[in-house]
Amino acid sequence: MNNTDPANLMPVLTSSENQNDTLGSVMEAEDHVALGDDYALTASFVEKVVDAADTGDGMRLRSLLEDLHPADVADLMGFLTAEHRAVVVQWLPPELLAETLPEMDDGIREEVLERVPSGVLAEALQELDSDDAAAVVEDLEDDQREEVLAAMPEIDRAAIESSLGYGEDTAGRLMQREYMAAPQFWTVGDTIDHVRTHGDDLPELFFNIYVVDPLNRPVGGVAISRLLRAKREVALTDLMEPVNEIIVDVDQEEVAYIFEKYHLISAPVVDAAGRLVGQLTVDDVVNIIQEENREDILRLAGVNDEDRSSSVREIVRSRVPWLGINLFTAILGAAVIAVFEGTIQQIVALAVLMPIVSAIGGNAGTQSLAVTVRALATRELNSSNAHRTFRRELTVGLLNGLILSPLVGVAAGLWFWDWRLGAVISAAMVMNMMVAATVGVLTPVTLSKLKFDPAVSSAVFVTATTDFFGFLIFLGLATAILL
Amino acid sequence: MNNTDPANLMPVLTSSENQNDTLGSVMEAEDHVALGDDYALTASFVEKVVDAADTGDGMRLRSLLEDLHPADVADLMGFLTAEHRAVVVQWLPPELLAETLPEMDDGIREEVLERVPSGVLAEALQELDSDDAAAVVEDLEDDQREEVLAAMPEIDRAAIESSLGYGEDTAGRLMQREYMAAPQFWTVGDTIDHVRTHGDDLPELFFNIYVVDPLNRPVGGVAISRLLRAKREVALTDLMEPVNEIIVDVDQEEVAYIFEKYHLISAPVVDAAGRLVGQLTVDDVVNIIQEENREDILRLAGVNDEDRSSSVREIVRSRVPWLGINLFTAILGAAVIAVFEGTIQQIVALAVLMPIVSAIGGNAGTQSLAVTVRALATRELNSSNAHRTFRRELTVGLLNGLILSPLVGVAAGLWFWDWRLGAVISAAMVMNMMVAATVGVLTPVTLSKLKFDPAVSSAVFVTATTDFFGFLIFLGLATAILL
């Protein structure tokens, strides 16, 4: 679980409340107001930091940074250039640096880690929960990783190593190994006494107590607000309710789906034998959901993977492949046009109008695509309603075509004073809308059937198809009817 | 807070654990396995329900549905046709119907609500937390709303009415009015005793105890796991930590950002005077995050708002406007081509090649757009790094252009055996890539500066611009150089 400690929500973070005077008392020096009303870092604060970094004014930097929440420090890093980050990192108090690491964009974290001595890092990581520590160690170069792990106490090292033993993006990798479990025979009183005496071995925060059998397999869970309500002598087994176990090798996307669907706050993670090995908490899941959504939006646009910390080189690498594929498909479209060169020679108006047919088709296809990709991501689309969805999209495509084609037809007819040309473009547009609906739905559905990400490369393929058929249908009809 | 009661996580929901035998014991009749390994409803289960609904076999329906989690019932509704939903609703046990209503897609909920008698509804709503009840009442037709509210106990009605008094999509509308607050002078013991005796007045589940001053203004919060750790005689004020207050009129998008950034589980909601009026919990926020992300993906694709329950008519309404705008912009592009009809007449190859320039430009622009929209949504982009981002995108555009243009140039040169034509298309492509980067970044940034949603209409505008300039630059250069 990431740092949920409200203690880090320094007064400086409540500047928006300060707009009305409820927290005026805890207001800090104007100088320190880092966040705007929208809780995001203000440009002016970022500039203050940049100035301090430029002048190498370490004391000033520290005074600006020390009160920030780790999430805001990580956020700040994203707004800085690599040079400025180098300066800022030097002046971060070690414990704040530790808590900031798990919050950073991967790219920035890797860059920062290279600058932190292994000894310091080993110290810092012990402050973190196992899942956060593992996430950081994961990013280290092999040799540095060796050093850091070697410099850590056996128990922490073991926790991190076993966490890294699980596949990337699995529940096992995401879970924290700290949790609160109680044997079946305990009462509410036993549990509270245990928590009071062994508080230090327990996670920073926890929301459920997992009741386990002698083999450490969860038999149920007790929300601590329910524990609080019950009398000391009540048995946990009388309070407990079924829990939604998550197996270590379940993919993070599935984890997010389960948490979201059942509004879970935390869930026990079990190994293949059903033994409790850790727990997942909703705040980690929120990060996953954002990650997955980010991927969908970017992939639909033909961007592989990049964030604000990516270098120009990385960005080009992440975008050029799709543009290359698009170049290839565009040439296919051009080839179709080439077939009708003769027709265009005789009726240049066709060259003027053909992009209209392909453009509308491309947009209609993208609409169907986005809706379908989203439905697949939220599992609202499966084989039981796939046909209905497809029929619906076809109908919509037809109707949209019938609504818009008269406009195009009349416009074209008046423009070139040729009603037959208007009829041809109207007909071509309606047909291409049907093509758009078909490819817009079938592309992502097929990809997901084949266990590929439905978002990836769909858009390029959809627009390529609508271009191809747009030109083919329009120029083909024109050749047949107008010549 | 939606229904987080793990009691609803019926054994039937753990079918995936049943794949390995950890929970074999609680396995239900094969007949009842509703969920696949991925925790989504299986097509076969949906078909079973459809069959039962077709044959009007109510007993069978009830036996299929009664063990489902409300979230799964709501999910099921989405897979059914309106006719089948009508049958299924009749056979839903009242309390299950109540818990299912807040989980349904808005469209479906409105449809279902029209079929439920006001009396039944009034009964059902009293089972729900105030925020969920309000969300349901919100969807009722005015007359039905009157009836339902009239049939409810004064206290519940008051809660719902005041909740509906807050603006849509604000913290006030989303919050639940049930929370656990304690006066500053209480000890851990006082608090636990209070919870044990007044448990019924408290929310289903809670995670923080808000410490309030005599004017009921939060002065801090105590996570209940910390309360559990402390000795009875410890004062709450010694345990409490600053809390991140949220003001009633804050927009839900901001609420989501705050929860996500600081990994909050729950937060107190205060009125303008800083008095505690309710609380927000992370599970509601997860829904908001998904809603906002869905909006972004669909709007980028030119889809206003629709879900799987939308009628064909609603879908056409949500998509035709953008296609209409796109039609208009496409005609502008055509007008540019028309200017060069003479050139095309002499060199038809231009008509063949021009879509390549516009297509690649459109894709590059969409890439920049998606990245920028995402950065704005996550507040990773503000005036302090806007210029850097813009310069970066321009550089990327230039590089992508320089990487791809030789390919196009050579291909075109060989195709039409004219190296000058190759040179023209290469140059045009590089220039249009710069146009793409510019419009891809500036469009969403400008929209958000003007307080519009950066996603809305951006894509249409970006591709329109790249088409327009793609044709203009390519045909313009051709006219200047080749004629």
Side-chain angles (χ1 to χ4, degrees):
Chain A
M1 177 156 181
N2 290 327
N3 190 316
T4 325
D5 186 346
N8 292 302
L9 300 175
M10 289 290 162
V12 60
L13 296 180
T14 60
S15 56
S16 81
E17 276 88 24
N18 290 312
Q19 304 315 315
N20 67 54
D21 55 13
T22 62
L23 286 184
S25 52
V26 293
M27 184 64 173
E28 298 237 330
E30 151 57 29
D31 184 37
H32 274 205
V33 177
L35 306 184
D37 292 2
D38 63 357
Y39 277 81
L41 285 175
T42 61
S44 65
F45 180 82
V46 175
E47 277 140 30
K48 283 195 196 106
V49 173
V50 170
D51 295 342
D54 281 332
T55 58
D57 183 346
M59 285 307 132
R60 167 102 170 119
L61 271 179
R62 179 158 290 194
S63 79
L64 282 169
L65 299 172
E66 63 193 353
D67 290 342
L68 286 185
H69 184 286
D72 288 302
V73 178
D75 197 20
L76 173 67
M77 291 298 190
F79 284 110
L80 301 177
T81 61
E83 299 66 42
H84 287 131
R85 279 196 286 270
V87 182
V88 169
V89 170
Q90 294 167 9
W91 292 94
L92 273 183
E95 57 288 350
L96 180 54
L97 174 63
E99 290 171 343
T100 302
L101 285 171
E103 308 269 347
M104 292 180 183
D105 298 348
D106 296 3
I108 295 180
R109 181 160 60 211
E110 284 167 25
E111 171 201 307
V112 168
L113 285 174
E114 288 166 9
R115 299 220 182 72
V116 184
S118 302
V120 178
L121 200 54
E123 277 299 320
L125 291 181
Q126 295 169 44
E127 304 299 313
L128 303 178
D129 281 330
S130 57
D131 56 335
D132 294 330
V136 173
V137 172
E138 187 183 350
D139 280 353
L140 295 172
E141 300 299 330
D142 295 359
D143 51 349
Q144 194 184 8
R145 183 184 298 187
E146 296 308 321
E147 288 173 31
V148 171
L149 287 175
M152 294 182 82
E154 176 54 33
I155 181 160
D156 296 348
R157 178 167 62 246
I160 292 175
E161 278 168 345
S162 81
S163 165
L164 291 177
Y166 296 109
E168 223 180 319
D169 301 342
T170 63
R173 183 71 77 91
L174 290 163
M175 73 186 181
Q176 62 178 131
R177 306 170 62 79
E178 301 82 6
Y179 54 79
M180 169 67 202
Q184 286 156 295
F185 55 82
W186 275 14
T187 63
V188 168
D190 300 331
T191 313
I192 294 180
D193 296 342
H194 172 85
V195 174
R196 285 197 177 132
T197 47
H198 296 75
D200 305 345
D201 316 344
L202 298 176
E204 210 16 50
L205 292 173
F206 58 95
F207 314 100
N208 281 292
I209 288 159
Y210 305 117
V211 182
V212 295
D213 69 12
L215 291 175
N216 197 35
R217 294 178 306 201
V219 293
V222 180
I224 55 179
S225 55
R226 290 215 171 71
L227 188 82
L228 227 48
R229 276 201 192 127
K231 304 240 170 304
R232 281 185 64 89
E233 56 277 13
V234 177
L236 289 184
T237 44
D238 296 336
L239 288 179
M240 75 181 184
E241 289 150 331
V243 283
N244 222 10
E245 299 179 352
I246 292 172
I247 303 176
V248 280
D249 57 11
V250 169
D251 182 83
Q252 67 173 18
E253 206 170 335
E254 215 145 292
V255 171
Y257 178 74
I258 299 167
F259 267 75
E260 188 194 342
K261 186 173 180 185
Y262 301 125
H263 317 296
L264 304 182
I265 300 300
S266 70
V269 180
V270 299
D271 63 18
R275 286 184 299 263
L276 184 60
V277 290
Q279 73 171 338
L280 282 161
T281 50
V282 68
D283 63 320
D284 300 316
V285 172
V286 167
N287 297 339
I288 298 169
I289 291 175
Q290 285 297 51
E291 219 179 281
E292 300 286 344
N293 282 307
R294 183 170 159 285
E295 265 183 25
D296 281 350
I297 288 188
L298 294 187
R299 286 187 175 164
L300 270 177
V303 177
N304 283 342
D305 187 33
E306 58 183 64
D307 55 41
R308 59 178 166 176
S309 66
S310 305
S311 66
V312 167
R313 180 199 197 77
E314 289 166 330
I315 296 175
V316 170
R317 268 222 212 81
S318 103
R319 298 191 200 175
V320 134
W322 294 122
L323 293 176
I325 292 170
N326 180 241
L327 175 58
F328 172 73
T329 59
I331 290 174
L332 285 185
V336 174
I337 300 172
V339 173
F340 299 95
E341 266 189 54
T343 313
I344 294 172
Q345 198 110 44
Q346 296 172 59
I347 314 170
V348 181
L350 298 177
V352 174
L353 297 176
M354 67 187 182
I356 297 178
V357 180
S358 59
I360 308 290
N363 273 266
T366 309
Q367 288 179 330
S368 302
L369 174 63
V371 171
T372 309
V373 165
R374 189 63 197 172
L376 286 167
T378 53
R379 306 196 188 174
E380 287 178 5
L381 180 59
N382 70 22
S383 57
S384 71
N385 62 342
H387 287 91
R388 189 151 20 103
T389 309
F390 183 40
R391 275 198 309 277
R392 198 177 64 170
E393 285 296 325
L394 272 181
T395 318
V396 170
L398 179 62
L399 291 175
N400 286 342
L402 293 176
I403 291 169
L404 296 171
S405 60
L407 303 175
V408 188
V410 171
L414 293 175
W415 190 349
F416 297 97
W417 212 246
D418 176 347
W419 67 268
R420 294 189 315 154
L421 182 56
V424 166
I425 193 171
S426 308
M429 207 171 106
V430 175
M431 293 188 224
N432 203 30
M433 291 295 244
M434 308 296 284
V435 173
T438 308
V439 68
V441 175
L442 294 192
T443 308
V445 167
T446 312
L447 280 171
S448 77
K449 271 230 171 74
L450 302 175
K451 305 271 176 243
F452 289 112
D453 177 343
V456 93
S457 80
S458 299
V460 173
F461 184 73
V462 168
T463 49
T465 313
T466 49
D467 282 356
F468 186 91
F469 284 97
F471 297 140
L472 184 63
I473 297 169
F474 177 58
L475 297 174
L477 281 177
T479 312
I481 295 171
L482 303 179
L483 291 192
Chain B
M1 178 153 182
N2 289 328
N3 189 315
T4 326
D5 186 345
N8 291 301
L9 299 174
M10 289 291 162
V12 60
L13 296 180
T14 59
S15 58
S16 78
E17 276 88 24
N18 289 311
Q19 304 316 316
N20 66 53
D21 54 14
T22 62
L23 286 184
S25 52
V26 292
M27 183 63 172
E28 297 237 330
E30 151 56 29
D31 186 35
H32 274 205
V33 178
L35 305 184
D37 292 3
D38 63 356
Y39 277 81
L41 284 176
T42 61
S44 66
F45 180 82
V46 175
E47 276 140 30
K48 282 193 196 110
V49 173
V50 170
D51 295 343
D54 282 332
T55 58
D57 183 345
M59 285 306 129
R60 168 103 170 117
L61 270 180
R62 178 158 290 192
S63 79
L64 282 169
L65 300 172
E66 63 193 355
D67 291 342
L68 287 184
H69 183 288
D72 288 303
V73 178
D75 198 20
L76 173 67
M77 291 297 189
F79 284 111
L80 301 177
T81 61
E83 300 65 42
H84 287 130
R85 278 197 286 270
V87 182
V88 170
V89 169
Q90 292 169 11
W91 292 95
L92 273 183
E95 56 290 347
L96 180 53
L97 174 63
E99 290 172 344
T100 303
L101 285 170
E103 309 268 347
M104 292 179 182
D105 298 348
D106 296 3
I108 295 180
R109 182 162 58 211
E110 285 167 24
E111 173 202 305
V112 168
L113 285 173
E114 288 165 9
R115 300 219 183 74
V116 184
S118 302
V120 178
L121 200 53
E123 277 299 321
L125 292 181
Q126 295 169 45
E127 304 299 313
L128 303 178
D129 281 331
S130 56
D131 57 335
D132 293 329
V136 173
V137 172
E138 186 183 350
D139 279 353
L140 295 173
E141 299 299 332
D142 295 359
D143 52 348
Q144 194 183 5
R145 184 183 298 187
E146 295 309 321
E147 289 175 31
V148 171
L149 287 175
M152 294 181 83
E154 176 56 32
I155 179 158
D156 297 346
R157 177 168 62 246
I160 291 175
E161 278 168 345
S162 80
S163 165
L164 291 178
Y166 297 109
E168 222 179 319
D169 300 342
T170 62
R173 183 69 78 90
L174 290 163
M175 74 186 181
Q176 62 178 127
R177 305 170 60 79
E178 302 82 7
Y179 54 79
M180 169 67 201
Q184 284 156 294
F185 55 82
W186 276 14
T187 63
V188 168
D190 299 331
T191 313
I192 294 180
D193 296 342
H194 172 84
V195 174
R196 285 199 178 131
T197 48
H198 297 74
D200 305 344
D201 317 343
L202 297 175
E204 201 31 39
L205 291 173
F206 58 94
F207 314 100
N208 281 291
I209 288 158
Y210 306 116
V211 182
V212 295
D213 68 13
L215 291 175
N216 196 34
R217 294 178 306 200
V219 293
V222 179
I224 55 178
S225 53
R226 289 215 171 72
L227 187 84
L228 227 48
R229 276 200 191 125
K231 304 237 170 307
R232 280 185 66 88
E233 56 277 14
V234 177
L236 288 185
T237 43
D238 296 336
L239 288 178
M240 75 180 185
E241 289 150 333
V243 283
N244 223 15
E245 298 178 351
I246 292 173
I247 303 176
V248 280
D249 56 11
V250 169
D251 182 82
Q252 65 173 20
E253 205 170 336
E254 216 144 289
V255 171
Y257 177 74
I258 299 167
F259 266 76
E260 188 193 341
K261 185 174 180 183
Y262 301 124
H263 317 295
L264 304 182
I265 299 300
S266 71
V269 180
V270 298
D271 62 18
R275 285 182 301 263
L276 184 60
V277 290
Q279 72 171 338
L280 282 162
T281 50
V282 67
D283 62 323
D284 300 314
V285 173
V286 168
N287 296 339
I288 299 168
I289 291 175
Q290 285 296 51
E291 218 178 283
E292 301 286 344
N293 282 308
R294 183 170 159 287
E295 266 183 24
D296 281 350
I297 288 188
L298 294 186
R299 286 186 175 165
L300 271 176
V303 177
N304 284 342
D305 186 35
E306 60 184 61
D307 55 42
R308 58 179 167 177
S309 67
S310 305
S311 67
V312 167
R313 182 197 196 81
E314 290 165 329
I315 296 176
V316 170
R317 270 223 209 81
S318 103
R319 300 191 201 175
V320 133
W322 293 123
L323 293 175
I325 293 170
N326 179 242
L327 175 57
F328 172 73
T329 59
I331 290 174
L332 286 185
V336 175
I337 302 171
V339 174
F340 297 97
E341 265 189 54
T343 314
I344 294 172
Q345 197 111 45
Q346 296 173 59
I347 313 171
V348 181
L350 298 178
V352 175
L353 296 176
M354 66 187 183
I356 298 178
V357 180
S358 60
I360 309 290
N363 273 266
T366 309
Q367 288 178 330
S368 302
L369 174 63
V371 170
T372 309
V373 165
R374 188 64 196 172
L376 286 166
T378 54
R379 306 219 200 337
E380 287 177 6
L381 180 59
N382 71 21
S383 56
S384 71
N385 62 341
H387 287 91
R388 189 154 16 105
T389 309
F390 183 40
R391 274 198 309 278
R392 197 178 63 169
E393 286 294 326
L394 272 182
T395 319
V396 171
L398 180 62
L399 290 174
N400 286 341
L402 293 176
I403 291 169
L404 295 171
S405 59
L407 301 175
V408 188
V410 172
L414 294 175
W415 189 350
F416 297 96
W417 211 246
D418 176 348
W419 68 268
R420 294 186 318 153
L421 183 57
V424 166
I425 193 172
S426 308
M429 205 170 108
V430 174
M431 293 187 224
N432 203 29
M433 291 294 248
M434 310 295 285
V435 173
T438 309
V439 68
V441 174
L442 295 192
T443 307
V445 167
T446 312
L447 281 171
S448 77
K449 271 231 171 74
L450 302 174
K451 304 271 176 241
F452 289 112
D453 177 342
V456 93
S457 80
S458 299
V460 174
F461 183 73
V462 168
T463 48
T465 314
T466 49
D467 283 355
F468 187 91
F469 284 98
F471 297 139
L472 185 64
I473 297 169
F474 177 57
L475 295 175
L477 280 178
T479 311
I481 295 171
L482 303 179
L483 291 193

